[in-house]
Amino acid sequence: MTATPARIIAVDTHDIRFPTSRELDGSDAMNPDPDYSAAYVVLRTDAGDGLEGHGFTFTIGRGNDVQVAAIAALRPHVLGRSVDELCADPGSLSRDLIGDSQLRWLGPEKGVMHMAVGAVLNAVWDLAAKRAGQPLWRLLAHADPEWLVSQVDFRYIADALTPQEALSLLRDGRGGLAERETALLERGYPGYTTSPGWLGYSDEKLTRLAKQAVADGFTQIKLKVGADLDDDLRRLRTARAAVGPGVRIAIDANQRWNIGEAVSWTRALAEFGPYWIEEPTSPDDILGHAAVRAAVAPVKVATGEHVQNRIVFKQLLQAGALDVLQIDAARVGGVNENLAILLLAAKFGVPVCPHAGGVGLCELVQHLAMFDYLALSRTTENRVIEYVDHLHEHFTAPVVMRDGHYTAPLTPGFSAAMHPESLAEFRYPDGTFWAADLADRPAGA
C-alpha cells in the first residue's frame, strides 16, 4: 500500500504590529512615525513531523491588513500541494503565483501582490530548509548549480543575464567554498548599523549610540538625512566627531529628493566624507539615479530596498545607476527572485549590501548574503549587511552579532519563525497588547 504523500493543509495569516513610532525608532525623512509590522504567514502540513514554513513581508503599520489580505488571496494555489514536490522545486509555486493572470493584473510583479508572493515563497524555503535540516544559507550554497538556475525566472532579464551565464557564475562560485565556509563560521559576515541614525533621535542619543557602535566593532554606521539641511550638517558633524575619521558614515534620504536637490544636498554634506547616499530619489527613477551618481562621485549611490523586481534592478545595472545594490528579503518575489538579483549583481560586478532592520529583515537577509559570499561573489570586500537592534527578541532564532559581524546561523530554516507568544501579544487589533492599548484610548482617538 502506497503511503499518501504529505500535503499543505493550512496557510495561516497574522497581522503583527509593534508600536515603534512611540520612541521614533525607524524614523526618517519620508517615514516619520513607523509602526514596524509583519504580514506573517505559516504553512502547516499533515506530514506529522511538526515542521512548519514561516514567512512574512515587512510594512510600517497602516495597510498591514491589506498585505495580509493579499497573502490570503494566494491560499488556493498552496493548499493541497505535495510537501515533497514543493520543497524540491519552490520555483514551480513561484511560476504559479506570479502567473495567476487575475492577481497579476494588480502588479504585475510589483507592489502589495508581489510582496505577498514573496512572503509565501519565503515560507516555502523556510520549510524546505527545515526538512533538509540545514540553515537556508548552507542549503543554497551547497545546492547543485543547475538546480539553482532552475529556480530563477529569466523572463525580462535574459538580455542582461542568460541561464548559461548564470550557470557559469554559479559553477565558478563553487571554487574554494569549503575554505570560505570555514572563515564564515569563524568570523561571520560584516555588518553596519543604522541604530544611531534615526532622524527623530537627539544629538545626545546619536553620539551615545554612535560611540557604542564603534565599541561593538562596527566600522560603518548610517544616518538618515533629507528633512532639513542645517540639521543634517549638524548631525553629520556630530556623528563624525563621535566615530572619528576611520569609520564609514553612510547617509540615507529615503527617496525624499528631486534630482537637483539630491545633487546639491549630497554635495553640501560631502565635507563629512559620506560613503554612500542611499535612495536619493524615487526608486523607480533609473535615469535619475544615474544622473545623481555622475554628479556626486566619489560619494557612492546605493539603492534597492524599494526596488520592486529583478527587471528594475536589471535596468539600474545596465544604466550604471548605482554603486551599491541593496537587496531586500521581503520586497521582491522571495528567495527565487533574490537569486536572480544576486546573479545580476555578480554579472555586473556590483557589490551587494543588503537592506535589513524592520521586523525580521536582519534574520532573513543574512542567509542570502552568506550564500552570495560562499557560492557566487566569493568576497566580503566592501560588502556589509545592515543591522538594526530592533525586535529580534520576538524570533526563535534571532541574529547574533559579534564584533560587528553577523554570526552564521546554524538553526535549520530561514530564521523566520516568531515566538507564538509574540504573535498572540502583537496581533492587530485583538492581541493582548493592542486590545489593551485600544481600550485605553480616548473615544475618537
Side-chain angles (χ1 to χ4, degrees), residues 238-285:
T238 300
R240 181 56 73 196
V243 302
V247 172
R248 287 176 172 172
I249 300 177
I251 55 176
D252 184 357
N254 290 95
Q255 317 159 32
R256 181 65 182 257
W257 299 321
N258 283 314
I259 304 307
E261 283 181 295
V263 172
S264 62
W265 208 301
T266 302
R267 286 176 172 170
L269 300 177
E271 65 178 288
F272 303 107
Y275 181 60
W276 74 51
I277 174 61
E278 182 173 332
E279 287 199 315
T281 191
S282 165
D284 298 332
D285 191 349

mmCIF file of all heavy atoms in Angstrom, residues 238-285:
data_model
loop_
_atom_site.group_PDB
_atom_site.id
_atom_site.type_symbol
_atom_site.label_atom_id
_atom_site.label_comp_id
_atom_site.label_asym_id
_atom_site.label_seq_id
_atom_site.Cartn_x
_atom_site.Cartn_y
_atom_site.Cartn_z
ATOM 1 N N THR A 238 28.233 65.975 14.202
ATOM 2 C CA THR A 238 28.172 65.287 15.489
ATOM 3 C C THR A 238 28.604 63.830 15.358
ATOM 4 O O THR A 238 29.382 63.316 16.168
ATOM 5 C CB THR A 238 26.743 65.357 16.054
ATOM 6 O OG1 THR A 238 26.373 66.727 16.228
ATOM 7 C CG2 THR A 238 26.633 64.630 17.380
ATOM 8 N N ALA A 239 28.104 63.166 14.321
ATOM 9 C CA ALA A 239 28.440 61.756 14.119
ATOM 10 C C ALA A 239 29.916 61.570 13.810
ATOM 11 O O ALA A 239 30.565 60.657 14.344
ATOM 12 C CB ALA A 239 27.591 61.175 12.995
ATOM 13 N N ARG A 240 30.454 62.443 12.968
ATOM 14 C CA ARG A 240 31.869 62.316 12.611
ATOM 15 C C ARG A 240 32.743 62.532 13.841
ATOM 16 O O ARG A 240 33.749 61.821 14.047
ATOM 17 C CB ARG A 240 32.219 63.289 11.488
ATOM 18 C CG ARG A 240 33.663 63.230 11.025
ATOM 19 C CD ARG A 240 34.080 61.822 10.583
ATOM 20 N NE ARG A 240 33.505 61.424 9.298
ATOM 21 C CZ ARG A 240 33.480 60.166 8.866
ATOM 22 N NH1 ARG A 240 33.978 59.180 9.620
ATOM 23 N NH2 ARG A 240 32.954 59.866 7.696
ATOM 24 N N ALA A 241 32.371 63.480 14.684
ATOM 25 C CA ALA A 241 33.129 63.701 15.923
ATOM 26 C C ALA A 241 33.052 62.495 16.843
ATOM 27 O O ALA A 241 34.015 62.166 17.545
ATOM 28 C CB ALA A 241 32.605 64.944 16.639
ATOM 29 N N ALA A 242 31.918 61.804 16.829
ATOM 30 C CA ALA A 242 31.737 60.657 17.719
ATOM 31 C C ALA A 242 32.526 59.441 17.269
ATOM 32 O O ALA A 242 33.088 58.711 18.094
ATOM 33 C CB ALA A 242 30.251 60.311 17.818
ATOM 34 N N VAL A 243 32.592 59.189 15.944
ATOM 35 C CA VAL A 243 33.208 57.939 15.469
ATOM 36 C C VAL A 243 34.639 58.122 14.980
ATOM 37 O O VAL A 243 35.365 57.136 14.808
ATOM 38 C CB VAL A 243 32.365 57.302 14.342
ATOM 39 C CG1 VAL A 243 30.951 57.033 14.829
ATOM 40 C CG2 VAL A 243 32.348 58.167 13.073
ATOM 41 N N GLY A 244 35.061 59.361 14.724
ATOM 42 C CA GLY A 244 36.407 59.590 14.235
ATOM 43 C C GLY A 244 36.502 59.405 12.733
ATOM 44 O O GLY A 244 35.520 59.060 12.057
ATOM 45 N N PRO A 245 37.702 59.613 12.186
ATOM 46 C CA PRO A 245 37.862 59.608 10.727
ATOM 47 C C PRO A 245 37.895 58.222 10.092
ATOM 48 O O PRO A 245 37.717 58.098 8.887
ATOM 49 C CB PRO A 245 39.206 60.319 10.531
ATOM 50 C CG PRO A 245 39.965 60.023 11.796
ATOM 51 C CD PRO A 245 38.938 60.004 12.897
ATOM 52 N N GLY A 246 38.118 57.175 10.884
ATOM 53 C CA GLY A 246 38.332 55.849 10.302
ATOM 54 C C GLY A 246 37.088 55.011 10.138
ATOM 55 O O GLY A 246 37.184 53.870 9.660
ATOM 56 N N VAL A 247 35.933 55.518 10.526
ATOM 57 C CA VAL A 247 34.685 54.772 10.424
ATOM 58 C C VAL A 247 33.839 55.364 9.302
ATOM 59 O O VAL A 247 33.672 56.577 9.214
ATOM 60 C CB VAL A 247 33.918 54.823 11.763
ATOM 61 C CG1 VAL A 247 32.524 54.231 11.623
ATOM 62 C CG2 VAL A 247 34.703 54.091 12.848
ATOM 63 N N ARG A 248 33.330 54.503 8.444
ATOM 64 C CA ARG A 248 32.478 54.982 7.352
ATOM 65 C C ARG A 248 31.121 55.443 7.876
ATOM 66 O O ARG A 248 30.545 54.819 8.768
ATOM 67 C CB ARG A 248 32.260 53.863 6.324
ATOM 68 C CG ARG A 248 33.490 53.556 5.471
ATOM 69 C CD ARG A 248 33.229 52.366 4.553
ATOM 70 N NE ARG A 248 34.324 52.177 3.614
ATOM 71 C CZ ARG A 248 34.452 51.132 2.791
ATOM 72 N NH1 ARG A 248 33.519 50.183 2.794
ATOM 73 N NH2 ARG A 248 35.480 51.044 1.970
ATOM 74 N N ILE A 249 30.628 56.541 7.293
ATOM 75 C CA ILE A 249 29.276 57.018 7.574
ATOM 76 C C ILE A 249 28.501 57.049 6.261
ATOM 77 O O ILE A 249 28.842 57.807 5.348
ATOM 78 C CB ILE A 249 29.282 58.423 8.212
ATOM 79 C CG1 ILE A 249 30.056 58.430 9.531
ATOM 80 C CG2 ILE A 249 27.845 58.888 8.448
ATOM 81 C CD1 ILE A 249 30.153 59.807 10.184
ATOM 82 N N ALA A 250 27.501 56.209 6.164
ATOM 83 C CA ALA A 250 26.591 56.258 5.024
ATOM 84 C C ALA A 250 25.421 57.162 5.379
ATOM 85 O O ALA A 250 25.094 57.353 6.557
ATOM 86 C CB ALA A 250 26.096 54.861 4.677
ATOM 87 N N ILE A 251 24.783 57.750 4.363
ATOM 88 C CA ILE A 251 23.611 58.592 4.583
ATOM 89 C C ILE A 251 22.465 58.096 3.702
ATOM 90 O O ILE A 251 22.686 57.535 2.630
ATOM 91 C CB ILE A 251 23.900 60.083 4.323
ATOM 92 C CG1 ILE A 251 24.482 60.305 2.917
ATOM 93 C CG2 ILE A 251 24.856 60.627 5.384
ATOM 94 C CD1 ILE A 251 24.691 61.778 2.559
ATOM 95 N N ASP A 252 21.243 58.311 4.181
ATOM 96 C CA ASP A 252 20.061 57.719 3.553
ATOM 97 C C ASP A 252 18.946 58.751 3.515
ATOM 98 O O ASP A 252 18.478 59.204 4.558
ATOM 99 C CB ASP A 252 19.638 56.491 4.366
ATOM 100 C CG ASP A 252 18.469 55.733 3.764
ATOM 101 O OD1 ASP A 252 17.933 56.179 2.729
ATOM 102 O OD2 ASP A 252 18.092 54.689 4.337
ATOM 103 N N ALA A 253 18.527 59.133 2.307
ATOM 104 C CA ALA A 253 17.471 60.141 2.138
ATOM 105 C C ALA A 253 16.080 59.536 2.004
ATOM 106 O O ALA A 253 15.097 60.282 1.948
ATOM 107 C CB ALA A 253 17.765 61.002 0.911
ATOM 108 N N ASN A 254 15.964 58.219 1.909
ATOM 109 C CA ASN A 254 14.661 57.559 1.841
ATOM 110 C C ASN A 254 13.743 58.182 0.791
ATOM 111 O O ASN A 254 12.570 58.468 1.052
ATOM 112 C CB ASN A 254 13.985 57.550 3.208
ATOM 113 C CG ASN A 254 14.674 56.618 4.185
ATOM 114 O OD1 ASN A 254 15.526 57.056 4.973
ATOM 115 N ND2 ASN A 254 14.356 55.339 4.121
ATOM 116 N N GLN A 255 14.303 58.435 -0.412
ATOM 117 C CA GLN A 255 13.533 58.858 -1.594
ATOM 118 C C GLN A 255 13.002 60.287 -1.501
ATOM 119 O O GLN A 255 12.080 60.658 -2.234
ATOM 120 C CB GLN A 255 12.333 57.913 -1.833
ATOM 121 C CG GLN A 255 12.614 56.456 -1.684
ATOM 122 C CD GLN A 255 11.353 55.658 -1.431
ATOM 123 O OE1 GLN A 255 10.278 55.998 -1.894
ATOM 124 N NE2 GLN A 255 11.488 54.582 -0.680
ATOM 125 N N ARG A 256 13.572 61.109 -0.656
ATOM 126 C CA ARG A 256 12.967 62.407 -0.346
ATOM 127 C C ARG A 256 13.111 63.437 -1.474
ATOM 128 O O ARG A 256 12.290 64.332 -1.601
ATOM 129 C CB ARG A 256 13.607 62.938 0.946
ATOM 130 C CG ARG A 256 13.081 64.267 1.445
ATOM 131 C CD ARG A 256 11.615 64.193 1.869
ATOM 132 N NE ARG A 256 11.116 65.493 2.305
ATOM 133 C CZ ARG A 256 10.929 65.856 3.562
ATOM 134 N NH1 ARG A 256 11.198 64.995 4.530
ATOM 135 N NH2 ARG A 256 10.473 67.041 3.876
ATOM 136 N N TRP A 257 14.150 63.335 -2.293
ATOM 137 C CA TRP A 257 14.539 64.470 -3.115
ATOM 138 C C TRP A 257 14.195 64.326 -4.596
ATOM 139 O O TRP A 257 14.146 63.221 -5.152
ATOM 140 C CB TRP A 257 16.052 64.669 -3.028
ATOM 141 C CG TRP A 257 16.585 64.961 -1.666
ATOM 142 C CD1 TRP A 257 16.023 65.751 -0.715
ATOM 143 C CD2 TRP A 257 17.806 64.460 -1.108
ATOM 144 N NE1 TRP A 257 16.826 65.790 0.404
ATOM 145 C CE2 TRP A 257 17.926 65.008 0.193
ATOM 146 C CE3 TRP A 257 18.822 63.618 -1.564
ATOM 147 C CZ2 TRP A 257 19.003 64.723 1.014
ATOM 148 C CZ3 TRP A 257 19.897 63.329 -0.747
ATOM 149 C CH2 TRP A 257 19.982 63.888 0.538
ATOM 150 N N ASN A 258 14.068 65.491 -5.271
ATOM 151 C CA ASN A 258 14.212 65.577 -6.718
ATOM 152 C C ASN A 258 15.692 65.451 -7.066
ATOM 153 O O ASN A 258 16.560 65.515 -6.194
ATOM 154 C CB ASN A 258 13.657 66.905 -7.236
ATOM 155 C CG ASN A 258 12.136 66.917 -7.292
ATOM 156 O OD1 ASN A 258 11.518 65.969 -7.760
ATOM 157 N ND2 ASN A 258 11.540 67.996 -6.787
ATOM 158 N N ILE A 259 15.983 65.329 -8.354
ATOM 159 C CA ILE A 259 17.369 65.081 -8.772
ATOM 160 C C ILE A 259 18.282 66.242 -8.379
ATOM 161 O O ILE A 259 19.361 66.034 -7.810
ATOM 162 C CB ILE A 259 17.434 64.846 -10.300
ATOM 163 C CG1 ILE A 259 16.499 63.698 -10.698
ATOM 164 C CG2 ILE A 259 18.866 64.525 -10.721
ATOM 165 C CD1 ILE A 259 16.685 62.417 -9.944
ATOM 166 N N GLY A 260 17.862 67.468 -8.664
ATOM 167 C CA GLY A 260 18.703 68.611 -8.327
ATOM 168 C C GLY A 260 18.969 68.719 -6.835
ATOM 169 O O GLY A 260 20.091 69.012 -6.415
ATOM 170 N N GLU A 261 17.924 68.492 -6.033
ATOM 171 C CA GLU A 261 18.103 68.503 -4.575
ATOM 172 C C GLU A 261 19.083 67.425 -4.132
ATOM 173 O O GLU A 261 19.919 67.653 -3.255
ATOM 174 C CB GLU A 261 16.765 68.238 -3.886
ATOM 175 C CG GLU A 261 15.797 69.380 -3.818
ATOM 176 C CD GLU A 261 14.544 68.940 -3.080
ATOM 177 O OE1 GLU A 261 13.840 68.050 -3.596
ATOM 178 O OE2 GLU A 261 14.282 69.481 -1.996
ATOM 179 N N ALA A 262 18.945 66.244 -4.715
ATOM 180 C CA ALA A 262 19.822 65.133 -4.329
ATOM 181 C C ALA A 262 21.278 65.498 -4.564
ATOM 182 O O ALA A 262 22.156 65.221 -3.730
ATOM 183 C CB ALA A 262 19.453 63.881 -5.117
ATOM 184 N N VAL A 263 21.547 66.140 -5.680
ATOM 185 C CA VAL A 263 22.922 66.515 -6.006
ATOM 186 C C VAL A 263 23.422 67.611 -5.073
ATOM 187 O O VAL A 263 24.498 67.494 -4.462
ATOM 188 C CB VAL A 263 23.009 66.965 -7.477
ATOM 189 C CG1 VAL A 263 24.393 67.542 -7.775
ATOM 190 C CG2 VAL A 263 22.704 65.796 -8.415
ATOM 191 N N SER A 264 22.647 68.679 -4.926
ATOM 192 C CA SER A 264 23.122 69.808 -4.115
ATOM 193 C C SER A 264 23.233 69.425 -2.644
ATOM 194 O O SER A 264 24.185 69.823 -1.958
ATOM 195 C CB SER A 264 22.197 71.012 -4.287
ATOM 196 O OG SER A 264 20.877 70.712 -3.845
ATOM 197 N N TRP A 265 22.284 68.640 -2.149
ATOM 198 C CA TRP A 265 22.284 68.260 -0.739
ATOM 199 C C TRP A 265 23.463 67.331 -0.430
ATOM 200 O O TRP A 265 24.160 67.486 0.566
ATOM 201 C CB TRP A 265 20.966 67.570 -0.406
ATOM 202 C CG TRP A 265 20.478 67.673 1.018
ATOM 203 C CD1 TRP A 265 21.128 67.253 2.139
ATOM 204 C CD2 TRP A 265 19.218 68.203 1.457
ATOM 205 N NE1 TRP A 265 20.342 67.470 3.254
ATOM 206 C CE2 TRP A 265 19.163 68.056 2.867
ATOM 207 C CE3 TRP A 265 18.127 68.761 0.810
ATOM 208 C CZ2 TRP A 265 18.062 68.453 3.625
ATOM 209 C CZ3 TRP A 265 17.039 69.151 1.567
ATOM 210 C CH2 TRP A 265 17.003 69.011 2.956
ATOM 211 N N THR A 266 23.682 66.360 -1.305
ATOM 212 C CA THR A 266 24.792 65.427 -1.094
ATOM 213 C C THR A 266 26.124 66.162 -1.155
ATOM 214 O O THR A 266 27.032 65.903 -0.343
ATOM 215 C CB THR A 266 24.749 64.301 -2.136
ATOM 216 O OG1 THR A 266 23.489 63.624 -2.048
ATOM 217 C CG2 THR A 266 25.872 63.306 -1.904
ATOM 218 N N ARG A 267 26.251 67.082 -2.097
ATOM 219 C CA ARG A 267 27.491 67.868 -2.174
ATOM 220 C C ARG A 267 27.692 68.699 -0.914
ATOM 221 O O ARG A 267 28.814 68.855 -0.423
ATOM 222 C CB ARG A 267 27.462 68.762 -3.408
ATOM 223 C CG ARG A 267 27.679 68.012 -4.724
ATOM 224 C CD ARG A 267 27.530 68.948 -5.914
ATOM 225 N NE ARG A 267 27.906 68.315 -7.173
ATOM 226 C CZ ARG A 267 27.695 68.843 -8.366
ATOM 227 N NH1 ARG A 267 27.121 70.048 -8.470
ATOM 228 N NH2 ARG A 267 28.070 68.203 -9.464
ATOM 229 N N ALA A 268 26.599 69.216 -0.353
ATOM 230 C CA ALA A 268 26.718 70.025 0.866
ATOM 231 C C ALA A 268 27.194 69.198 2.052
ATOM 232 O O ALA A 268 27.849 69.728 2.964
ATOM 233 C CB ALA A 268 25.366 70.662 1.183
ATOM 234 N N LEU A 269 26.895 67.910 2.050
ATOM 235 C CA LEU A 269 27.306 67.030 3.138
ATOM 236 C C LEU A 269 28.645 66.344 2.880
ATOM 237 O O LEU A 269 29.147 65.618 3.733
ATOM 238 C CB LEU A 269 26.231 65.956 3.372
ATOM 239 C CG LEU A 269 24.834 66.473 3.756
ATOM 240 C CD1 LEU A 269 23.857 65.306 3.875
ATOM 241 C CD2 LEU A 269 24.873 67.254 5.057
ATOM 242 N N ALA A 270 29.225 66.595 1.712
ATOM 243 C CA ALA A 270 30.425 65.860 1.300
ATOM 244 C C ALA A 270 31.620 66.116 2.215
ATOM 245 O O ALA A 270 32.527 65.278 2.303
ATOM 246 C CB ALA A 270 30.775 66.212 -0.145
ATOM 247 N N GLU A 271 31.643 67.266 2.905
ATOM 248 C CA GLU A 271 32.801 67.566 3.757
ATOM 249 C C GLU A 271 32.973 66.551 4.886
ATOM 250 O O GLU A 271 34.061 66.421 5.446
ATOM 251 C CB GLU A 271 32.660 68.969 4.350
ATOM 252 C CG GLU A 271 31.496 69.139 5.306
ATOM 253 C CD GLU A 271 31.427 70.534 5.918
ATOM 254 O OE1 GLU A 271 32.290 70.835 6.773
ATOM 255 O OE2 GLU A 271 30.515 71.304 5.528
ATOM 256 N N PHE A 272 31.904 65.810 5.208
ATOM 257 C CA PHE A 272 31.987 64.831 6.286
ATOM 258 C C PHE A 272 32.294 63.421 5.777
ATOM 259 O O PHE A 272 32.257 62.469 6.543
ATOM 260 C CB PHE A 272 30.693 64.840 7.091
ATOM 261 C CG PHE A 272 30.369 66.196 7.652
ATOM 262 C CD1 PHE A 272 29.343 66.960 7.117
ATOM 263 C CD2 PHE A 272 31.128 66.737 8.687
ATOM 264 C CE1 PHE A 272 29.056 68.230 7.609
ATOM 265 C CE2 PHE A 272 30.847 68.001 9.187
ATOM 266 C CZ PHE A 272 29.816 68.741 8.648
ATOM 267 N N GLY A 273 32.587 63.341 4.485
ATOM 268 C CA GLY A 273 33.032 62.077 3.908
ATOM 269 C C GLY A 273 31.997 60.978 3.891
ATOM 270 O O GLY A 273 32.301 59.830 4.251
ATOM 271 N N PRO A 274 30.742 61.251 3.481
ATOM 272 C CA PRO A 274 29.765 60.160 3.424
ATOM 273 C C PRO A 274 30.196 59.085 2.432
ATOM 274 O O PRO A 274 30.647 59.391 1.330
ATOM 275 C CB PRO A 274 28.479 60.852 2.972
ATOM 276 C CG PRO A 274 28.922 62.099 2.277
ATOM 277 C CD PRO A 274 30.178 62.522 2.980
ATOM 278 N N TYR A 275 30.038 57.830 2.836
ATOM 279 C CA TYR A 275 30.476 56.721 1.986
ATOM 280 C C TYR A 275 29.502 56.503 0.836
ATOM 281 O O TYR A 275 29.903 56.319 -0.307
ATOM 282 C CB TYR A 275 30.616 55.457 2.821
ATOM 283 C CG TYR A 275 31.084 54.260 2.024
ATOM 284 C CD1 TYR A 275 32.311 54.280 1.364
ATOM 285 C CD2 TYR A 275 30.302 53.116 1.927
ATOM 286 C CE1 TYR A 275 32.747 53.192 0.621
ATOM 287 C CE2 TYR A 275 30.726 52.016 1.200
ATOM 288 C CZ TYR A 275 31.947 52.063 0.543
ATOM 289 O OH TYR A 275 32.372 50.980 -0.192
ATOM 290 N N TRP A 276 28.186 56.482 1.161
ATOM 291 C CA TRP A 276 27.190 56.424 0.086
ATOM 292 C C TRP A 276 25.997 57.285 0.448
ATOM 293 O O TRP A 276 25.767 57.609 1.607
ATOM 294 C CB TRP A 276 26.778 54.991 -0.218
ATOM 295 C CG TRP A 276 25.863 54.270 0.751
ATOM 296 C CD1 TRP A 276 24.672 54.697 1.264
ATOM 297 C CD2 TRP A 276 26.053 52.949 1.292
ATOM 298 N NE1 TRP A 276 24.113 53.743 2.089
ATOM 299 C CE2 TRP A 276 24.931 52.665 2.114
ATOM 300 C CE3 TRP A 276 27.043 51.973 1.138
ATOM 301 C CZ2 TRP A 276 24.807 51.456 2.798
ATOM 302 C CZ3 TRP A 276 26.901 50.778 1.817
ATOM 303 C CH2 TRP A 276 25.804 50.522 2.640
ATOM 304 N N ILE A 277 25.256 57.683 -0.583
ATOM 305 C CA ILE A 277 23.950 58.295 -0.421
ATOM 306 C C ILE A 277 22.940 57.254 -0.892
ATOM 307 O O ILE A 277 22.986 56.781 -2.029
ATOM 308 C CB ILE A 277 23.796 59.628 -1.191
ATOM 309 C CG1 ILE A 277 22.342 60.136 -1.103
ATOM 310 C CG2 ILE A 277 24.260 59.529 -2.642
ATOM 311 C CD1 ILE A 277 21.863 60.419 0.286
ATOM 312 N N GLU A 278 22.034 56.906 -0.004
ATOM 313 C CA GLU A 278 21.068 55.836 -0.259
ATOM 314 C C GLU A 278 19.712 56.419 -0.616
ATOM 315 O O GLU A 278 19.273 57.397 -0.017
ATOM 316 C CB GLU A 278 20.965 54.970 0.993
ATOM 317 C CG GLU A 278 20.040 53.782 0.886
ATOM 318 C CD GLU A 278 20.131 52.897 2.121
ATOM 319 O OE1 GLU A 278 21.199 52.874 2.769
ATOM 320 O OE2 GLU A 278 19.133 52.236 2.445
ATOM 321 N N GLU A 279 19.053 55.798 -1.577
ATOM 322 C CA GLU A 279 17.731 56.219 -2.041
ATOM 323 C C GLU A 279 17.630 57.738 -2.174
ATOM 324 O O GLU A 279 16.796 58.379 -1.535
ATOM 325 C CB GLU A 279 16.642 55.696 -1.106
ATOM 326 C CG GLU A 279 16.400 54.211 -1.247
ATOM 327 C CD GLU A 279 15.058 53.783 -0.681
ATOM 328 O OE1 GLU A 279 14.698 54.230 0.431
ATOM 329 O OE2 GLU A 279 14.364 53.004 -1.354
ATOM 330 N N PRO A 280 18.460 58.357 -3.022
ATOM 331 C CA PRO A 280 18.417 59.813 -3.160
ATOM 332 C C PRO A 280 17.134 60.323 -3.801
ATOM 333 O O PRO A 280 16.787 61.491 -3.630
ATOM 334 C CB PRO A 280 19.631 60.114 -4.034
ATOM 335 C CG PRO A 280 19.872 58.846 -4.817
ATOM 336 C CD PRO A 280 19.498 57.741 -3.881
ATOM 337 N N THR A 281 16.434 59.457 -4.540
ATOM 338 C CA THR A 281 15.212 59.884 -5.228
ATOM 339 C C THR A 281 14.305 58.673 -5.397
ATOM 340 O O THR A 281 14.524 57.633 -4.769
ATOM 341 C CB THR A 281 15.560 60.555 -6.571
ATOM 342 O OG1 THR A 281 14.401 61.203 -7.112
ATOM 343 C CG2 THR A 281 16.131 59.563 -7.575
ATOM 344 N N SER A 282 13.296 58.785 -6.222
ATOM 345 C CA SER A 282 12.347 57.686 -6.403
ATOM 346 C C SER A 282 13.065 56.390 -6.793
ATOM 347 O O SER A 282 13.933 56.397 -7.681
ATOM 348 C CB SER A 282 11.342 58.034 -7.509
ATOM 349 O OG SER A 282 10.639 56.875 -7.937
ATOM 350 N N PRO A 283 12.693 55.272 -6.181
ATOM 351 C CA PRO A 283 13.341 54.008 -6.541
ATOM 352 C C PRO A 283 13.047 53.564 -7.962
ATOM 353 O O PRO A 283 13.735 52.690 -8.489
ATOM 354 C CB PRO A 283 12.767 53.015 -5.521
ATOM 355 C CG PRO A 283 11.479 53.623 -5.080
ATOM 356 C CD PRO A 283 11.694 55.105 -5.110
ATOM 357 N N ASP A 284 12.042 54.164 -8.602
ATOM 358 C CA ASP A 284 11.714 53.828 -9.986
ATOM 359 C C ASP A 284 12.472 54.671 -11.009
ATOM 360 O O ASP A 284 12.381 54.395 -12.210
ATOM 361 C CB ASP A 284 10.214 54.016 -10.226
ATOM 362 C CG ASP A 284 9.360 53.115 -9.356
ATOM 363 O OD1 ASP A 284 9.830 52.026 -8.989
ATOM 364 O OD2 ASP A 284 8.228 53.508 -9.041
ATOM 365 N N ASP A 285 13.185 55.700 -10.560
ATOM 366 C CA ASP A 285 13.833 56.640 -11.477
ATOM 367 C C ASP A 285 15.245 56.169 -11.796
ATOM 368 O O ASP A 285 16.223 56.569 -11.162
ATOM 369 C CB ASP A 285 13.857 58.042 -10.866
ATOM 370 C CG ASP A 285 14.262 59.101 -11.877
ATOM 371 O OD1 ASP A 285 14.722 58.738 -12.984
ATOM 372 O OD2 ASP A 285 14.135 60.299 -11.569
#
